[in-house]
Amino acid sequence: MKSKEEYAEVWNDAGKSLGTEHATEGNMWAARVYAHYACFFEEYIASELNNTQASMNRAKMVELLYASDDHTLISYLKHRIPCTCLNDMYKQVKSTK
């Protein structure tokens, strides 16, 4: 798929920004879906486009969607966005780890 290759970074950024938006609104299921989406593109870029890893880490993608607690989700998003909008939320969920 040509557009997926040409615009993979954009799709990756969209997943992170929408996941962050939903997390700040308290919609954790939607945040997980978009974090999963962003993780897919991170893994796709690394393994298929940049060849910096051998294969996609599917366990990481599945964990974000189905098995992550709020701490794992917020931590994933917080470390991948340039804004500080998740800092307070991260402090709150840090104790759940």
Side-chain angles (χ1 to χ4, degrees), residues 1-65:
M1 174 182 255
K2 186 83 171 152
S3 66
K4 186 162 63 171
E5 291 173 1
E6 285 184 71
Y7 304 109
E9 288 290 345
V10 174
W11 289 107
N12 184 25
D13 288 345
K16 289 182 282 191
S17 64
L18 289 168
T20 300
E21 180 181 341
H22 284 293
T24 59
E25 293 171 353
N27 186 347
M28 301 311 268
W29 174 248
R32 279 182 177 78
V33 169
Y34 283 107
H36 169 80
Y37 183 66
C39 185
F40 168 81
F41 279 102
E42 264 182 14
E43 295 294 317
Y44 177 81
I45 291 165
S47 66
E48 303 298 323
L49 300 181
N50 295 340
N51 295 317
T52 55
Q53 65 188 42
S55 63
M56 294 173 66
N57 184 345
R58 286 168 173 72
K60 183 177 175 183
M61 292 184 280
V62 169
E63 178 187 13
L64 277 170
L65 185 59

